[in-house]
Amino acid sequence: MTVPIPGDESSDNPLLDVGNLRVYYPVKVPLIQRFFQSEKPFVHAVDGVSFTLKAGEIFGLVGESGCGKTTIGRAVLRLAEATSGTIKFEGVDITRLPESKVRPLRQRMQIIFQDPHASLNPAMSIGQAIGHPLKIHGLAWLEADVRKEVLGVMREVGLTPEEQLYDKFPRHLSGGQKQRAAIARAIILKPQLIVADEPVSMLDMSIRAR
Ligand SMILES: Nc1ncnc2c1ncn2[C@@H]1O[C@H](COP(=O)(O)OP(=O)(O)OP(=O)(O)O)[C@@H](O)[C@H]1O
Ligand SMILES: [Mg+2]
């Protein structure tokens, strides 16, 4: 689905351009077996994937479990290392960019992980977790400003009553609520690109339809 942005010529350029992406993971094999094998074994998690994405476009990846969907998402955000191929974000080749140069871009690309339990810090309240990206990227410092923004996105994702949930910890929330919190944390920065790894697997059907 494409949502064109009127009068914006730059929307003709892809937001994301993935070319022939490969991500191989080395397989751990016993020393004795390694001795007899001439080649090192690798899991071909992603093997030659290409696609482009324009601004405002929604792109879905479908495939059986273990086919490499999560790995593609992680590689695009430089959370997994590409073995070969290119990842261009807003026209810039980020495939081998040093981490210090990738960091400022992270504000513009966010990921919502498959497992919300693992992606929320158990020691941070939900409000703190959702507002954390604002602080990391230096977009808001005053507690009152952060709180106001956080309560706004909490309402937006249906994490209500927001005032009550703000100070709760992940262990006090249901799976679906945690997933909403992860979504809220990703959208609070208004990123250009959101990689959503099965972000609604914990939400009930009526909500998924939205
Ligand atoms: N860090 C890693 N080290 C080694 N192998 C990995 C690693 N991450 C993923 N793999 C392997 O890469 C392949 C692709 O995994 P991936 O998680 O991308 O699949 P997926 O399509 O997201 O699956 P699912 O639908 O179950 O989430 C799998 O065979 C997996 O075992
Ligand atoms: Mg996956």
Side-chain angles (χ1 to χ4, degrees):
M1 191 180 85
T2 311
V3 184
I5 303 162
D8 184 0
E9 290 98 50
S10 67
S11 65
D12 288 343
N13 296 323
L15 174 70
L16 180 69
D17 187 359
V18 174
N20 212 6
L21 177 67
R22 290 198 162 83
V23 182
Y24 295 175
Y25 290 113
V27 182
K28 286 204 179 77
V29 288
L31 191 68
I32 184 79
Q33 198 178 328
R34 233 183 297 165
F35 190 76
F36 292 109
Q37 273 175 339
S38 51
E39 276 175 39
K40 274 193 185 167
F42 286 97
V43 178
H44 295 198
V46 179
D47 209 359
V49 171
S50 304
F51 62 93
T52 59
L53 197 62
K54 286 184 194 159
E57 206 169 24
I58 297 170
F59 181 80
L61 265 178
V62 186
E64 63 189 50
S65 180
C67 75
K69 305 179 296 292
T70 297
T71 307
I72 292 172
R74 291 173 55 87
V76 161
L77 270 80
R78 287 284 309 268
L79 300 172
E81 196 190 337
T83 307
S84 68
T86 52
I87 300 153
K88 285 187 193 160
F89 179 68
E90 297 181 322
V92 179
D93 189 342
I94 62 162
T95 327
R96 318 243 166 260
L97 220 54
E99 178 56 31
S100 60
K101 297 240 168 71
V102 175
R103 212 167 299 136
L105 293 174
R106 296 214 189 278
Q107 192 179 328
R108 307 171 65 75
M109 41 193 208
Q110 289 288 308
I111 187 162
I112 304 169
F113 290 103
Q114 198 164 5
D115 178 6
H117 310 286
S119 72
L120 290 170
N121 183 342
M124 256 191 210
S125 76
I126 291 304
Q128 278 177 319
I130 297 171
H132 196 56
L134 292 176
K135 292 187 176 172
I136 296 179
H137 293 286
L139 300 174
W141 289 106
L142 294 176
E143 218 46 61
D145 293 345
V146 174
R147 192 182 171 92
K148 193 165 156 254
E149 285 244 11
V150 170
L151 291 173
V153 285
M154 284 176 79
R155 273 194 299 277
E156 210 176 311
V157 300
L159 198 55
T160 50
E162 66 277 16
E163 294 277 358
Q164 274 175 43
L165 291 171
Y166 192 94
D167 294 312
K168 291 257 190 310
F169 285 86
R171 63 180 177 278
H172 302 134
L173 265 59
S174 72
Q177 285 173 324
K178 275 186 271 202
Q179 210 145 36
R180 283 168 212 260
I183 294 170
R185 186 181 53 184
I187 65 171
I188 200 163
L189 292 172
K190 302 186 177 70
Q192 270 60 34
L193 174 70
I194 298 178
V195 172
D197 193 359
E198 299 180 44
V200 292
S201 57
M202 293 254 179
L203 301 187
D204 53 59
M205 281 303 174
S206 62
I207 303 296
R208 283 194 216 183
R210 296 211 303 225

